[in-house]
Amino acid sequence: MPVGGSIAWVDDAGFLNVGPQSAGADPGPACYGRGTWPTVTDADLVCGCLNPDYFLGGLQKLDVAASVRALKTHIAEPLRLTVIEAASGIRRIVDMRMADEVRVFAAKRGVDLSAFTLLPFGGAGAVHAAAVAEELGMLRILVPARPGAFSALGLLCTDVVHDYIRSDLKPLDAVTPEHMEEIYGQLEAKARAELSAEGMSAADARFLREIDLRYAGQGYELRTPLDGLYVERLTAESITAARERFDERHAQIHGHAAKNRPVEVVSYRLRLRVAVPKYQPHAETAAKSPRPASAAEKGKRSWHIDGDTVVEARVYERDSLDIGGVIAGPAIVEQFDATTVIPPGWAGRVDGFRNLMLEKNRP
């Protein structure tokens, strides 16, 4: 999926592409002063989404002129576009690419995205979040208090997980509980040995069993969890219940189930999970006399929403926003580790956890 360092380029057929090549952190985007190829960050900067004087809270200045040169040389002139049109095209491609990734992910799980909240993270996630949400028909966005550190926080709170798999293609009605227990027993023994080698105790671990099933003749299978289908050992009733659960999952994801068709076992899966302490956020109490959001306003900036539309956006300092503060788009919210853009038709509100909740205005 494209990120801020993804390089924009024109192929031999004259089409604009973004990625998979990346400028990385070194040399980085052209605006860092070392690279020469335009990136998503350069496009965001030229369109007015980013403040060249407030990158990393002002610790690093961004070179707008370098971004313009890179976009002009590599994109605008070859495609006979203006620099703003080139930058807007890059942003549009990135937004569509991210939306497509989310759409495919959701389709595999059979979920309705309009019922969910989009959670962007990273320094640039909230720069593109509203456009992605619009494309997906999502009405709510939750921007965490520290988006740039959100992945690191997640890593610190992530459970230790080991996955094991054993392929063993057989008709489900030919598999016995004893055969399944033998395979899972071997996988669990391997898992315990590796856990011990890492200095952790199996007493702290939880083992989750899954089985890959498919209708006979299918070219793909579905992971079917076995939790709740047995107590200590698998039984014949467990296998029957696994078949029923597979049918239900197939109907949920693909819209149909062939309950009279034979089912095949493809693989046995075991997941070992060792829980680690989790970060527990605590809601703050709103001040008795909260300051209006206007108190955090620090200016205005022209924002090119696309190649043809430019708006005057109010710029806010996020750390100066009080709980309950409401911001109407178009607006740009800046902080040390990230930037959030709020387009026209959207509004943001600071909740008790210091999240910035964005919602699309309903007609």
Side-chain angles (χ1 to χ4, degrees):
M1 187 177 294
V3 294
S6 295
I7 293 174
W9 53 286
V10 177
D11 63 23
D12 293 339
F15 290 102
L16 176 60
N17 295 268
V18 181
Q21 306 92 330
S22 175
D26 187 8
C31 59
Y32 284 13
R34 296 188 298 272
T36 58
W37 280 89
T39 66
V40 176
T41 296
D42 294 300
D44 290 338
L45 178 63
V46 168
C47 286
C49 299
L50 303 180
N51 184 345
D53 298 321
Y54 199 65
F55 192 68
L56 294 177
L59 294 178
Q60 180 178 340
K61 305 291 185 181
L62 298 181
D63 189 342
V64 180
S67 293
V68 171
R69 285 195 301 270
L71 287 164
K72 183 178 180 180
T73 300
H74 296 286
I75 308 297
E77 289 183 345
L79 296 179
R80 298 180 181 179
L81 301 172
T82 67
V83 171
I84 291 298
E85 288 172 337
S88 297
I90 292 169
R91 284 174 47 80
R92 180 62 176 157
I93 288 175
V94 169
D95 296 339
M96 292 290 290
R97 189 89 54 85
M98 288 191 284
D100 285 343
E101 292 283 348
V102 175
R103 189 179 288 112
V104 170
F105 185 85
K108 289 180 178 179
R109 287 156 179 78
V111 300
D112 177 11
L113 284 171
S114 65
F116 286 78
T117 298
L118 184 65
L119 195 158
F121 54 90
V127 174
H128 296 267
V132 173
E134 290 267 16
E135 182 65 29
L136 295 171
M138 302 178 74
L139 304 176
R140 286 168 51 89
I141 301 170
L142 187 156
V143 185
R146 293 287 174 232
F150 195 74
S151 290
L153 176 63
L155 179 62
L156 292 173
C157 298
T158 298
D159 294 342
V160 176
V161 174
H162 292 181
D163 286 310
Y164 303 87
I165 185 170
R166 176 77 58 82
S167 296
D168 187 40
L169 183 61
K170 285 185 179 180
L172 181 62
D173 58 10
V175 176
T176 65
E178 292 75 21
H179 179 71
M180 296 177 70
E181 282 292 340
E182 180 182 0
I183 292 178
Y184 281 121
Q186 293 171 359
L187 294 177
E188 288 184 9
K190 181 178 181 181
R192 292 176 188 276
E194 293 186 358
L195 195 64
S196 177
E198 293 180 10
M200 290 181 283
S201 171
D204 300 325
R206 182 185 176 199
F207 296 95
L208 302 174
R209 295 177 174 183
E210 293 180 313
I211 189 169
D212 289 345
L213 299 176
R214 70 183 183 189
Y215 292 119
Q218 273 187 324
Y220 58 90
E221 55 274 354
L222 288 181
R223 293 173 64 160
T224 305
L226 299 179
D227 55 295
L229 303 185
Y230 67 99
V231 179
E232 294 183 356
R233 296 179 60 85
L234 292 163
T235 64
E237 290 75 17
S238 303
I239 297 176
T240 300
R243 162 63 197 257
E244 294 172 353
R245 180 172 289 181
F246 165 73
D247 287 331
E248 293 171 358
R249 287 177 55 80
H250 198 283
Q252 178 187 17
I253 295 173
H254 299 292
H256 63 90
K259 297 184 178 181
N260 296 323
R261 190 170 178 177
V263 169
E264 294 175 334
V265 176
V266 178
S267 303
Y268 297 85
R269 295 178 182 268
L270 179 73
R271 168 163 290 187
L272 175 153
R273 182 184 296 274
V274 179
V276 302
K278 300 295 187 291
Y279 167 70
Q280 295 291 336
H282 299 284
E284 299 179 29
T285 302
K288 293 183 178 179
S289 300
R291 294 174 299 173
S294 58
E297 187 177 334
K298 58 182 186 179
K300 295 181 180 179
R301 189 161 70 241
S302 294
W303 168 22
H304 293 268
I305 295 180
D306 55 42
D308 300 318
T309 307
V310 58
V311 297
E312 196 75 356
R314 297 181 183 276
V315 182
Y316 297 85
E317 177 62 46
R318 182 167 181 179
D319 290 339
S320 297
L321 292 169
D322 279 350
I323 294 173
V326 177
I327 301 172
I332 298 174
V333 183
E334 298 178 345
Q335 60 189 104
F336 174 83
D337 61 323
T339 297
T340 301
V341 299
I342 306 175
W346 286 73
R349 178 182 59 82
V350 181
D351 70 7
F353 296 96
R354 295 285 177 180
N355 299 311
L356 185 57
M357 303 296 303
L358 308 184
E359 290 196 19
K360 185 175 181 180
N361 301 334
R362 299 177 184 271

